[in-house]
Amino acid sequence: MDTMTSIYPSLWLIPGLPALAALLIFIFSGSIRPRSAGWIATTGVAMSFLWAIFSFIVYNNATSKGAVFFHQIGWKWLDAGFVQANAGLLLDRVSGIFALVITGVGFLIHLFSTSYMENEEGQRRYFGFLSLFVASMLILVLADNAFFMLIGWEGVGACSFALIGHHYEKRENVAAALKAFFVTRFGDVFLILGVLLLAMIGTVDFTRLETFGLADLNIVHPVFNLTFGQLLVIAGLLLLGGAAGKSAQLPLQTWLPDAMAGPTPVSALIHAATMVTAGVYLIARFHIVFALSPELMMVVAVIGVLTAFYGATCAIVQTDIKRILAFSTISQIGFMMLALGVGAFSIGLFHFFTHAFFKALLFLAAGSVIHALHGEQNIFKMGGLRKELPGVFLATVAGTIALAGIPLTSGFFSKDAILWSALTSDRGNILLYGVGLTTAVLTAIYSARLIYVVFLGAPRADYHLHAPSPRQTWPLYILAVFALFAGFLNVPGLLHWEHYFQPHFKGWASEPSHNLTGEIIAAAVSAVLAVAGWFVGSVLFSPKRMVEGRIIPEPAMDPMAIRIETASPYRFGVANFLYRAWDFDHLYATLVTRPYRKISKVLSWTDEYLVDGIYEAGSVILQLFHGFFVTLQNGRVGRYAAVMLFGAALIALLLTFFGSGNL
């Protein structure tokens, strides 16, 4: 593979600028105003975005001269046996697109936050971690090897913990942050094991992953006594475990809806462009490892399509506006995984690209609604906001129709391409296509539900609106333009996204059928079903049919529990089951959390009373012996004489009774 190693442009500035902003905020937090912290963070991310654009333009100009990637090595970072890694950055087609989305969307979220977080407690801490979050994600996607990537991977996990629990005075926020931390850390264990295994049998240097495709998969490894192909499958499954944890895919999806406890801009950043897409990036980056095993690819596709269906069924009954979008994110990431699993790697990245805009738009719009209603999040206590918040309404419509896949929106182009690939590629099949198409219909239904319940009809509660500032509305308008029109980037004759990524994925991608007639028919079916789903949602949740929603009780919180209990407003079994997210939390609490806590109590008792008791008993015995000998050896001559007399008498007594011959 050809490369270009260059000092200019310096890739280190892309993650370095937001990291520097975070450092300045943390160091001078005692002397700068909260408002200044917001602008320092926003400026850092804006400069990073501009530098990413410049670097990407220079990179694309260099591709015409034969360069495939920019590679800049900082220093030797790890040198321990098979664990070899540099601190280096890599800019290619995949990392470049991710860097542009992270910094661009991240800048808009930072700008939105400068208004949204006004008069909030802990602004300096918030903006410091927000910038550090962006910097960590940029290291994750720009790292030139998996070991250095783990720095960014763990960085986003740590920052998400701090941001989800930003309002730590509420116990439910702390519980949500802990839940996100524990569940994602569980997946991270698999990722680390997978990276170590790949390092042992090959390489984790992203510039040399082609060596896996050139190896003989039938060679038996001398250490593991397994074939090279079998070890690659094991490594791929371990990587998939890490991806499932970060990207909230089955069965590690439970943390994401509760992560809504953080401020809404945090939710937008986590869901749209950063943390939850890390798993998609991971599989796309290691696409050669996965593509070498058809069975492994099928596992990715099945997990993706099932997660997509799961998220859509849960979103359709939620009453919290942010949880609706959270389950929607789980579903949309599932679509990306489906695309990766059927070998449509470039299409999976295309859906990441379009999803970043309309999901960031929807979360920020939800934040504007929540801010205007002084913290209200129950959609059945809203209604009639179209006239009160016209700009937010139009932006939300743009986001929801893109999410629903209404024809000619960005979501239509990317989702239709995924469904077509699931149907016609070598690794796809009719079952994957059918479940994906059903999920798309459900997506259109809950998208329409969101619009009709929140913005149309009469208000369902008395409220005094707090009008959003221009810094809250302008990011919505910018994102709305991309949400509507970014899909045209995959139209032949324009950028043609799939063609752009062909040099990167080469022969590892599974090409869908290029039957133009069949593709037009499939697109028409997808479009009709999306519109039909929207129509069904508009009928079911039209203002004439809506009644005042029930007030949901406050969550009953156990700060040590892994799940958050929320009373369901539904009486019927299926709706209640879906509202409780298929009862995964209850299942994990029964199988994992409660047994773990009981075992922990037993171990704690054993440690406190048995283990510590043995050591304490030994300590008491030693103290008694010490006291006895101290009493004897106190430096007094009279005491020594008495001891000698006692000893002589004891010897005489023994001689008298036992005789000298026996001693």
Side-chain angles (χ1 to χ4, degrees):
M1 178 179 286
D2 296 325
T3 181
M4 176 176 287
T5 302
S6 173
I7 299 176
Y8 184 82
S10 175
L11 301 179
W12 294 95
L13 286 177
I14 301 176
L17 290 169
L20 177 62
L23 184 63
L24 292 174
I25 293 171
F26 286 135
I27 291 177
F28 300 104
S29 61
S31 57
I32 61 174
R33 296 182 301 172
R35 181 183 180 89
S36 300
W39 286 112
I40 290 173
T42 304
T43 302
V45 177
M47 294 175 64
S48 176
F49 177 51
L50 294 175
W51 194 255
I53 293 175
F54 172 68
S55 301
F56 197 63
I57 291 174
V58 173
Y59 160 74
N60 279 287
N61 289 335
T63 56
S64 61
K65 302 176 182 179
V68 177
F69 54 78
F70 284 164
H71 190 200
Q72 295 178 353
I73 300 175
W75 63 91
K76 188 71 174 182
W77 184 53
L78 292 175
D79 186 4
F82 65 88
V83 180
Q84 300 285 329
N86 294 315
L89 299 183
L90 178 73
L91 183 68
D92 59 8
R93 283 170 163 81
V94 174
S95 61
I97 290 296
F98 270 86
L100 289 175
V101 172
I102 292 165
T103 53
V105 175
F107 163 68
L108 294 175
I109 293 172
H110 274 70
L111 181 61
F112 182 92
S113 296
T114 59
S115 173
Y116 187 88
M117 295 299 292
E118 280 184 342
N119 304 318
E120 292 279 347
E121 294 291 334
Q123 287 189 58
R124 302 178 188 88
R125 170 167 46 87
Y126 169 86
F127 282 107
F129 278 114
L130 201 67
S131 288
L132 188 60
F133 193 106
V134 172
S136 298
M137 189 65 192
L138 288 169
I139 292 175
L140 191 158
V141 300
L142 290 171
D144 71 340
N145 65 85
F147 285 120
F148 193 51
M149 179 197 73
L150 289 175
I151 297 295
W153 190 278
E154 296 302 323
V156 295
C159 292
S160 68
F161 171 78
L163 291 169
I164 292 169
H166 176 72
H167 296 295
Y168 56 85
E169 65 278 2
K170 296 182 180 180
R171 298 171 63 192
E172 59 267 30
N173 295 349
V174 176
L178 287 172
K179 184 175 182 179
F181 181 82
F182 287 132
V183 176
T184 56
R185 290 294 79 73
F186 181 77
D188 293 350
V189 172
F190 294 106
L191 172 63
I192 294 171
L193 292 175
V195 170
L196 289 173
L197 179 57
L198 287 176
M200 290 184 68
I201 65 176
T203 181
V204 292
D205 188 335
F206 296 150
T207 64
R208 296 190 292 115
L209 291 180
E210 290 87 351
T211 57
F212 287 117
L214 301 175
D216 187 349
L217 301 182
N218 295 316
I219 294 179
V220 177
H221 194 277
V223 176
F224 297 102
N225 198 29
L226 294 171
T227 66
F228 190 72
Q230 291 171 329
L231 290 174
L232 280 181
V233 171
I234 295 173
L237 289 173
L238 291 171
L239 294 179
L240 180 58
K246 271 291 190 289
S247 292
Q249 298 294 282
L250 290 171
L252 301 178
Q253 80 290 353
T254 57
W255 67 271
L256 191 59
D258 294 333
M260 298 302 94
T264 304
V266 172
S267 303
L269 191 61
I270 289 177
H271 288 244
T274 54
M275 184 170 171
V276 296
T277 59
V280 176
Y281 169 80
L282 181 71
I283 294 178
R285 178 58 74 188
F286 283 100
H287 64 277
I288 295 176
V289 174
F290 287 87
L292 286 170
S293 171
E295 295 80 10
L296 188 57
M297 292 289 283
M298 182 54 65
V299 171
V300 175
V302 170
I303 288 178
V305 76
L306 290 180
T307 304
F309 180 75
Y310 161 85
T313 58
C314 295
I316 208 166
V317 297
Q318 299 300 312
T319 58
D320 185 307
I321 188 171
K322 290 175 67 175
R323 288 180 70 86
I324 294 171
L325 298 177
F327 282 108
S328 171
T329 297
I330 293 175
S331 181
Q332 297 305 304
I333 299 294
F335 271 110
M336 299 176 205
M337 290 291 186
L338 170 61
L340 297 175
V342 299
F345 299 113
S346 59
I347 295 301
L349 296 183
F350 184 48
H351 195 55
F352 152 76
F353 183 76
T354 60
H355 173 265
F357 298 116
F358 63 72
K359 188 50 62 68
L361 168 60
L362 289 173
F363 266 110
L364 295 185
S368 295
V369 171
I370 295 169
H371 190 261
L373 299 180
H374 306 280
E376 181 58 62
Q377 295 182 201
N378 186 348
I379 62 173
F380 291 108
K381 297 174 70 174
M382 299 177 184
L385 296 178
R386 177 177 62 87
K387 296 180 180 179
E388 304 290 344
L389 302 171
V392 176
F393 166 69
L394 292 176
T396 307
V397 169
T400 50
I401 62 176
L403 171 62
I406 299 301
L408 301 184
T409 62
S410 64
F412 168 76
F413 285 102
S414 58
K415 197 176 299 182
D416 175 70
I418 292 174
L419 294 174
W420 178 248
S421 298
L423 178 64
T424 63
S425 71
D426 295 338
R427 294 187 171 96
N429 56 62
I430 188 65
L431 184 59
L432 294 175
Y433 173 75
V435 177
L437 197 62
T438 302
T439 303
V441 175
L442 295 175
T443 303
I445 293 174
Y446 71 71
S447 298
R449 175 179 182 258
L450 184 65
I451 290 295
Y452 279 84
V453 174
V454 174
F455 290 98
L456 302 181
R460 299 180 186 86
D462 294 328
Y463 43 69
H464 174 69
L465 287 177
H466 180 79
S469 70
R471 279 175 287 148
Q472 288 187 37
T473 54
W474 277 106
L476 302 184
Y477 301 150
I478 295 172
L479 290 169
V481 172
F482 283 95
L484 292 175
F485 302 112
F488 287 95
L489 294 178
N490 196 36
V491 174
L494 298 178
L495 176 62
H496 200 185
W497 184 283
E498 294 176 68
H499 178 73
Y500 178 74
F501 279 96
Q502 280 180 353
H504 182 86
F505 296 113
K506 295 181 179 177
W508 299 106
S510 296
E511 292 292 332
S513 171
H514 295 291
N515 182 349
L516 182 60
T517 302
E519 191 167 359
I520 291 175
I521 293 174
V525 170
S526 177
V528 169
L529 289 179
V531 174
W534 186 278
F535 176 75
V536 170
S538 66
V539 171
L540 292 176
F541 303 101
S542 64
K544 293 181 180 180
R545 293 174 58 91
M546 293 303 300
V547 295
E548 183 176 353
R550 291 180 55 191
I551 298 176
I552 309 302
E554 289 295 323
M557 209 31 132
D558 180 353
M560 296 302 295
I562 200 69
R563 65 188 289 264
I564 295 180
E565 295 272 6
T566 304
S568 171
Y570 299 101
R571 297 180 180 179
F572 301 105
V574 174
N576 183 59
F577 176 72
L578 297 179
Y579 181 84
R580 296 173 63 85
W582 294 21
D583 269 332
F584 268 95
D585 278 326
H586 178 72
L587 177 66
Y588 290 155
T590 302
L591 298 180
V592 180
T593 308
R594 292 169 188 165
Y596 174 78
R597 294 178 67 180
K598 290 180 180 179
I599 294 173
S600 298
K601 289 180 180 179
V602 173
L603 294 177
S604 176
W605 183 91
T606 303
D607 180 69
E608 182 177 358
Y609 293 102
L610 185 59
V611 178
D612 290 349
I614 293 173
Y615 283 102
E616 290 175 1
S619 175
V620 170
I621 293 172
L622 289 175
Q623 289 177 4
L624 290 175
F625 274 104
H626 173 266
F628 175 73
F629 286 109
V630 165
T631 302
L632 296 180
Q633 304 291 330
N634 61 358
R636 295 180 181 180
V637 177
R639 180 67 58 81
Y640 293 160
V643 171
M644 293 175 63
L645 179 61
F646 175 78
L650 180 62
I651 293 173
L653 183 64
L654 292 173
L655 290 173
T656 301
F657 284 96
F658 297 102
S660 60
N662 298 325
L663 296 176

